[in-house]
PDB file of all heavy atoms in Angstrom:
ATOM      1  N   GLY A 232      87.358  88.601 104.770  1.00  0.00           N
ATOM      2  CA  GLY A 232      87.089  87.192 105.201  1.00  0.00           C
ATOM      3  C   GLY A 232      85.639  86.938 105.277  1.00  0.00           C
ATOM      4  O   GLY A 232      85.171  85.794 105.477  1.00  0.00           O
ATOM      5  N   LYS A 233      84.812  87.952 105.177  1.00  0.00           N
ATOM      6  CA  LYS A 233      83.396  87.856 105.244  1.00  0.00           C
ATOM      7  C   LYS A 233      82.784  86.886 104.186  1.00  0.00           C
ATOM      8  O   LYS A 233      81.801  86.200 104.357  1.00  0.00           O
ATOM      9  CB  LYS A 233      82.742  89.225 105.108  1.00  0.00           C
ATOM     10  CG  LYS A 233      81.286  89.262 105.375  1.00  0.00           C
ATOM     11  CD  LYS A 233      80.773  90.642 105.332  1.00  0.00           C
ATOM     12  CE  LYS A 233      79.289  90.739 105.628  1.00  0.00           C
ATOM     13  NZ  LYS A 233      78.767  92.106 105.638  1.00  0.00           N
ATOM     14  N   TYR A 234      83.439  86.903 103.002  1.00  0.00           N
ATOM     15  CA  TYR A 234      82.927  86.086 101.876  1.00  0.00           C
ATOM     16  C   TYR A 234      83.842  84.863 101.614  1.00  0.00           C
ATOM     17  O   TYR A 234      83.818  84.366 100.496  1.00  0.00           O
ATOM     18  CB  TYR A 234      82.732  86.953 100.654  1.00  0.00           C
ATOM     19  CG  TYR A 234      81.680  87.978 100.870  1.00  0.00           C
ATOM     20  CD1 TYR A 234      82.122  89.288 101.153  1.00  0.00           C
ATOM     21  CD2 TYR A 234      80.366  87.716 100.888  1.00  0.00           C
ATOM     22  CE1 TYR A 234      81.181  90.347 101.377  1.00  0.00           C
ATOM     23  CE2 TYR A 234      79.394  88.703 101.140  1.00  0.00           C
ATOM     24  CZ  TYR A 234      79.842  90.015 101.364  1.00  0.00           C
ATOM     25  OH  TYR A 234      78.898  90.966 101.632  1.00  0.00           O
ATOM     26  N   GLY A 235      84.678  84.531 102.513  1.00  0.00           N
ATOM     27  CA  GLY A 235      85.550  83.358 102.365  1.00  0.00           C
ATOM     28  C   GLY A 235      86.807  83.498 101.536  1.00  0.00           C
ATOM     29  O   GLY A 235      87.501  82.565 101.237  1.00  0.00           O
ATOM     30  N   ALA A 236      87.065  84.772 101.093  1.00  0.00           N
ATOM     31  CA  ALA A 236      88.220  84.952 100.228  1.00  0.00           C
ATOM     32  C   ALA A 236      89.547  84.980 101.011  1.00  0.00           C
ATOM     33  O   ALA A 236      90.589  84.742 100.485  1.00  0.00           O
ATOM     34  CB  ALA A 236      88.016  86.292  99.497  1.00  0.00           C
ATOM     35  N   LYS A 237      89.476  85.330 102.276  1.00  0.00           N
ATOM     36  CA  LYS A 237      90.712  85.473 103.100  1.00  0.00           C
ATOM     37  C   LYS A 237      91.547  84.195 103.069  1.00  0.00           C
ATOM     38  O   LYS A 237      92.717  84.180 102.934  1.00  0.00           O
ATOM     39  CB  LYS A 237      90.400  85.898 104.460  1.00  0.00           C
ATOM     40  CG  LYS A 237      91.559  86.399 105.225  1.00  0.00           C
ATOM     41  CD  LYS A 237      91.105  87.087 106.495  1.00  0.00           C
ATOM     42  CE  LYS A 237      92.195  87.723 107.226  1.00  0.00           C
ATOM     43  NZ  LYS A 237      92.599  88.997 106.742  1.00  0.00           N
ATOM     44  N   LYS A 238      90.904  83.031 103.225  1.00  0.00           N
ATOM     45  CA  LYS A 238      91.612  81.741 103.228  1.00  0.00           C
ATOM     46  C   LYS A 238      92.352  81.534 101.967  1.00  0.00           C
ATOM     47  O   LYS A 238      93.458  81.103 101.921  1.00  0.00           O
ATOM     48  CB  LYS A 238      90.610  80.634 103.491  1.00  0.00           C
ATOM     49  CG  LYS A 238      90.090  80.593 104.892  1.00  0.00           C
ATOM     50  CD  LYS A 238      90.574  79.391 105.581  1.00  0.00           C
ATOM     51  CE  LYS A 238      89.940  79.189 106.906  1.00  0.00           C
ATOM     52  NZ  LYS A 238      90.816  79.516 107.995  1.00  0.00           N
ATOM     53  N   VAL A 239      91.689  81.815 100.848  1.00  0.00           N
ATOM     54  CA  VAL A 239      92.370  81.667  99.493  1.00  0.00           C
ATOM     55  C   VAL A 239      93.572  82.586  99.373  1.00  0.00           C
ATOM     56  O   VAL A 239      94.633  82.242  98.897  1.00  0.00           O
ATOM     57  CB  VAL A 239      91.366  81.924  98.394  1.00  0.00           C
ATOM     58  CG1 VAL A 239      92.079  81.861  97.005  1.00  0.00           C
ATOM     59  CG2 VAL A 239      90.242  80.885  98.428  1.00  0.00           C
ATOM     60  N   LEU A 240      93.378  83.866  99.834  1.00  0.00           N
ATOM     61  CA  LEU A 240      94.499  84.833  99.739  1.00  0.00           C
ATOM     62  C   LEU A 240      95.670  84.411 100.579  1.00  0.00           C
ATOM     63  O   LEU A 240      96.843  84.622 100.204  1.00  0.00           O
ATOM     64  CB  LEU A 240      94.044  86.191 100.265  1.00  0.00           C
ATOM     65  CG  LEU A 240      93.292  87.068  99.262  1.00  0.00           C
ATOM     66  CD1 LEU A 240      92.774  88.304  99.945  1.00  0.00           C
ATOM     67  CD2 LEU A 240      94.220  87.428  98.097  1.00  0.00           C
ATOM     68  N   ASP A 241      95.431  83.820 101.749  1.00  0.00           N
ATOM     69  CA  ASP A 241      96.464  83.492 102.687  1.00  0.00           C
ATOM     70  C   ASP A 241      97.050  82.085 102.421  1.00  0.00           C
ATOM     71  O   ASP A 241      97.942  81.695 103.046  1.00  0.00           O
ATOM     72  CB  ASP A 241      95.975  83.538 104.113  1.00  0.00           C
ATOM     73  CG  ASP A 241      95.625  85.003 104.467  1.00  0.00           C
ATOM     74  OD1 ASP A 241      96.043  85.919 103.751  1.00  0.00           O
ATOM     75  OD2 ASP A 241      94.923  85.167 105.476  1.00  0.00           O
ATOM     76  N   GLU A 242      96.466  81.342 101.465  1.00  0.00           N
ATOM     77  CA  GLU A 242      96.913  80.007 101.172  1.00  0.00           C
ATOM     78  C   GLU A 242      98.398  79.990 100.820  1.00  0.00           C
ATOM     79  O   GLU A 242      98.835  80.726  99.964  1.00  0.00           O
ATOM     80  CB  GLU A 242      96.116  79.422  99.970  1.00  0.00           C
ATOM     81  CG  GLU A 242      96.343  77.963  99.723  1.00  0.00           C
ATOM     82  CD  GLU A 242      95.746  77.092 100.833  1.00  0.00           C
ATOM     83  OE1 GLU A 242      94.680  77.430 101.342  1.00  0.00           O
ATOM     84  OE2 GLU A 242      96.419  76.028 101.131  1.00  0.00           O
ATOM     85  N   GLY A 243      99.148  79.186 101.514  1.00  0.00           N
ATOM     86  CA  GLY A 243     100.585  79.058 101.204  1.00  0.00           C
ATOM     87  C   GLY A 243     101.479  80.063 101.971  1.00  0.00           C
ATOM     88  O   GLY A 243     102.665  79.958 101.953  1.00  0.00           O
TER      89      GLY A 243
END
Side-chain angles (χ1 to χ4, degrees):
K233 187 175 180 180
Y234 298 101
K237 196 169 184 81
K238 288 244 187 256
V239 174
L240 276 175
D241 296 343
E242 189 69 37

